[in-house]
Amino acid sequence: MVFSGGIMGSDTLTFWILFGLSLWSSSQAFTKNPILSRIRRAPEASDENKKCSYTFLVPEQKITGPICAARGYSTDKDRVTRLDVAAVRDLLSKQRREMETLKLVVDVDGNLVNEMKLLRKESRNMNSRVTQLYMQLLHEIIRKRDNSLELAQLETRILNATTESLRLASRYRELEARYAALSAVVNNQSVLIGALEERCMQLHSRRHEQTPLGPPLVQVVPENIPVNVPRFTNEITRVNTRGAARERGSRSGPSPTTSSTIEVSKSEKNFSSEGPFRDCLEAQEAGHTNSGMYLIKPDETERPVQVWCEQNIDNGGWTIIQRRKDGSVNFFRNWDNYKSGFGNIDGEYWLGLESIYKLGRQGDYKLLVEMEDWMDKKVYAQYSSFHLEPESEGYRLRLGTYQGNAGDSLSSHNGKQFTTLDRDKDAFSGNCAHFHKGGWWYNACGQANLNGVWYTGGVYRSKFQDGIFWADYGGGFYSMKSVRIMIRPID
């Protein structure tokens, strides 16, 4: 830059030298500024004022300090003016504003960068969560597929079980139909055998008397007949206390017995010497809670009798008046035997019609019939009241209402007199005791025959229905394995 000045003395020269040195020590930015770097040349002196001028070459420097502007009017065009300073200030203000704007932009960009980083982090978290949810969804799909497979397998098993049950039901119906057919065949064969026997008797008998016809057959195949019968048999077991051998039952069955002795066991285990009591309930109330043999003496009797007391079922206090269990005692007896009683107290026995009549006169009694078939299933029939009328009325049977699971086969005998082989009091034209081989309150002849022949195996073959049958359970050709008839005072 070139600065011009007139010769104004030593002080003026010193000022300009110092001014030039300050400009020389300025920064390079000032020299690059076209406004500040421009120093106007001083106007040439007129002819009237001719002065000497000096020119100093000073290197361009950047203005770092304040700029002093000459006060007053200056004619030097290259001198810095207030307008130049204002322009510089405006430029600096503009650059400052631009810097602030850039700073704001940088801040905004920094915030955007931070937000982008957060968004990227959230995106990574979202990706992890999406992956986790995808794995859960995949696991759930697999589990549902497994459940569907298990459900399909279960449905298949149910269908197979249903098919098998239907097949078994069909098979059961077929077997039931075959059993009914076989029972019908057995019945027809029994009738045929009876007809053939009658024919043979008519042809070969020396007697010309007409053979009496048997009573009508009771129901052969009831609804609750015991199934799985082991075998057909017509064996009659007659094992008495002396160990007699078994005998084969003939067409006419066992012969009637006239002995009426009731044998008493000497076993100390089941025998009580205390008493006598009015009945087994009184023995129980006296503290005897074990089942066994006890002496009882009903009112109006002359001497005590021995009975078996059952204390273990239905609160106890039951007096057994009849028991069948092994065929060791013959029940085809006459009137006197059934009146006084017979058999073995700890085995098979009949208490006696007179003793049963005297027991019933002491108060209100109820009756319980307990039966067991050959599959060891026990059933019972209970009647709300029970008593007999005196011998002058044939020991007529009086029963109350029925309840139980064996079926009501005794109500048809209600109001009937007792019949034996030698005293016929039934409603049939013949003697029911002859055809059923026992003594009972026969009608014509009836639906129950618990004093009949003890056949082994259940179903038996015979000309007549002479087994121990209960028509509503098993029919007329099914002989029960064991029977107990017992009475007890009504509570």
Side-chain angles (χ1 to χ4, degrees):
M1 300 178 62
V2 181
F3 292 91
S4 297
I7 300 173
M8 299 178 183
S10 59
D11 293 333
T12 305
L13 181 61
T14 302
F15 170 76
W16 285 109
I17 289 172
L18 292 172
F19 183 75
L21 289 173
S22 64
L23 292 176
W24 178 78
S25 63
S26 301
S27 66
Q28 295 180 358
F30 177 79
T31 61
K32 293 181 181 180
N33 194 323
I35 299 175
L36 299 178
S37 65
R38 186 173 70 247
I39 306 296
R40 295 175 184 176
R41 189 181 296 273
E44 294 181 358
S46 61
D47 292 339
E48 298 178 355
N49 244 347
K50 288 183 181 181
K51 295 179 181 181
C52 295
S53 62
Y54 298 92
T55 304
F56 297 94
L57 297 177
V58 182
E60 297 180 355
Q61 298 294 327
K62 183 177 179 182
I63 299 174
T64 59
I67 299 174
C68 296
R71 296 181 179 179
Y73 176 78
S74 178
T75 59
D76 192 357
K77 296 180 179 180
D78 295 330
R79 188 169 293 177
V80 177
T81 64
R82 291 180 180 275
L83 294 174
D84 294 333
V85 174
V88 171
R89 288 177 178 174
D90 292 339
L91 181 60
L92 290 176
S93 298
K94 183 179 180 181
Q95 289 178 352
R96 189 178 294 111
R97 288 193 300 271
E98 289 178 355
M99 288 295 292
E100 292 176 355
T101 304
L102 288 174
K103 219 181 255 189
L104 293 174
V105 171
V106 169
D107 292 339
V108 172
D109 291 342
N111 293 333
L112 290 176
V113 170
N114 292 331
E115 289 181 0
M116 287 297 295
K117 288 182 179 179
L118 291 175
L119 289 174
R120 287 180 180 176
K121 186 176 180 181
E122 290 180 359
S123 177
R124 287 193 295 270
N125 293 335
M126 288 298 293
N127 289 335
S128 300
R129 180 60 178 167
V130 168
T131 303
Q132 183 181 2
L133 291 175
Y134 175 76
M135 295 302 295
Q136 290 180 356
L137 180 61
L138 185 62
H139 179 72
E140 188 69 18
I141 291 173
I142 294 174
R143 188 179 65 82
K144 287 186 176 180
R145 186 185 65 181
D146 294 340
N147 290 339
S148 300
L149 292 176
E150 291 180 359
L151 182 61
Q153 293 176 358
L154 182 60
E155 290 178 350
T156 303
R157 291 174 61 186
I158 291 174
L159 290 175
N160 293 337
T162 304
T163 304
E164 183 67 16
S165 63
L166 292 175
R167 188 184 67 81
L168 292 176
S170 176
R171 180 62 177 167
Y172 177 77
R173 287 193 294 269
E174 292 177 1
L175 292 176
E176 196 174 35
R178 289 179 60 186
Y179 182 78
L182 290 175
S183 299
V185 170
V186 171
N187 186 26
N188 294 334
Q189 288 179 349
S190 299
V191 175
L192 180 61
I193 290 172
L196 291 176
E197 288 178 349
E198 291 179 2
R199 181 64 176 169
C200 289
M201 289 178 64
Q202 291 176 0
L203 292 176
H204 300 286
S205 178
R206 296 179 180 179
R207 295 176 301 175
H208 299 283
E209 299 177 358
Q210 185 178 1
T211 304
L213 297 177
L217 299 176
V218 300
Q219 185 180 4
V220 176
V221 188
E223 295 181 359
N224 55 349
I225 186 171
V227 295
N228 296 330
V229 178
R231 62 190 178 91
F232 292 109
T233 179
N234 60 347
E235 291 183 355
I236 303 173
T237 303
R238 300 179 60 194
V239 182
N240 55 28
T241 55
R242 296 181 180 180
R246 293 183 178 181
E247 297 180 359
R248 196 72 166 176
S250 63
R251 179 184 61 83
S252 59
S255 58
T257 304
T258 57
S259 174
S260 61
T261 304
I262 298 181
E263 298 182 6
V264 178
S265 173
K266 301 300 182 180
S267 174
E268 298 293 336
K269 179 180 179 181
N270 296 323
F271 177 73
S272 174
S273 59
E274 296 185 20
F277 307 99
R278 296 177 72 244
D279 53 22
C280 290
L281 180 60
E282 186 175 276
Q284 183 191 42
E285 292 174 348
H288 300 281
T289 57
N290 295 326
S291 298
M293 291 179 290
Y294 292 86
L295 283 174
I296 66 170
K297 186 178 182 299
D299 297 341
E300 303 179 3
T301 56
E302 297 178 357
R303 58 184 179 88
V305 294
Q306 198 165 28
V307 298
W308 186 276
C309 293
E310 178 57 57
Q311 311 287 16
N312 297 325
I313 63 171
D314 195 14
N315 299 323
W318 294 94
T319 303
I320 307 297
I321 64 174
Q322 185 257 30
R323 179 164 57 189
R324 308 293 303 276
K325 66 177 185 177
D326 54 13
S328 58
V329 175
N330 184 5
F331 274 68
F332 193 19
R333 307 247 179 177
N334 58 19
W335 180 267
D336 292 336
N337 293 164
Y338 272 101
K339 177 182 176 181
S340 57
F342 55 87
N344 306 314
I345 297 301
D346 57 349
E348 294 191 341
Y349 77 94
W350 174 262
L351 181 59
L353 292 170
E354 187 66 22
S355 297
I356 298 172
Y357 163 69
K358 295 293 179 59
L359 272 171
R361 284 179 57 85
Q362 298 182 124
D364 296 329
Y365 282 77
K366 58 184 177 181
L367 177 73
L368 176 63
V369 180
E370 182 189 71
M371 295 171 285
E372 182 180 5
D373 61 23
W374 288 90
M375 293 189 302
D376 299 328
K377 177 182 178 182
K378 290 185 178 182
V379 293
Y380 74 96
Q382 183 170 319
Y383 296 86
S384 61
S385 64
F386 166 83
H387 72 273
L388 300 182
E389 295 184 0
E391 184 179 11
S392 60
E393 294 293 327
Y395 296 111
R396 193 183 304 273
L397 177 65
R398 297 298 182 185
L399 292 174
T401 57
Y402 159 81
Q403 67 173 5
N405 60 357
D408 185 10
S409 293
L410 195 58
S411 291
S412 61
H413 299 263
N414 189 20
K416 305 305 175 183
Q417 296 182 358
F418 201 86
T419 293
T420 59
L421 184 64
D422 58 340
R423 193 167 298 188
D424 185 6
K425 295 181 179 295
D426 55 51
F428 183 58
S429 58
N431 189 334
C432 293
H434 168 74
F435 296 105
H436 290 299
K437 304 298 185 294
W440 196 251
W441 296 275
Y442 293 113
N443 188 349
C445 285
Q447 301 293 310
N449 187 43
L450 300 185
N451 287 337
V453 181
W454 189 84
Y455 289 107
T456 60
V459 177
Y460 62 93
R461 290 192 181 99
S462 178
K463 179 180 179 181
F464 305 110
Q465 293 172 328
D466 52 6
I468 304 173
F469 68 83
W470 188 270
D472 285 276
Y473 188 85
F477 282 100
Y478 187 91
S479 184
M480 305 301 292
K481 181 180 180 181
S482 65
V483 176
R484 291 195 304 177
I485 305 176
M486 57 192 85
I487 61 175
R488 183 184 190 276
I490 299 175
D491 299 330

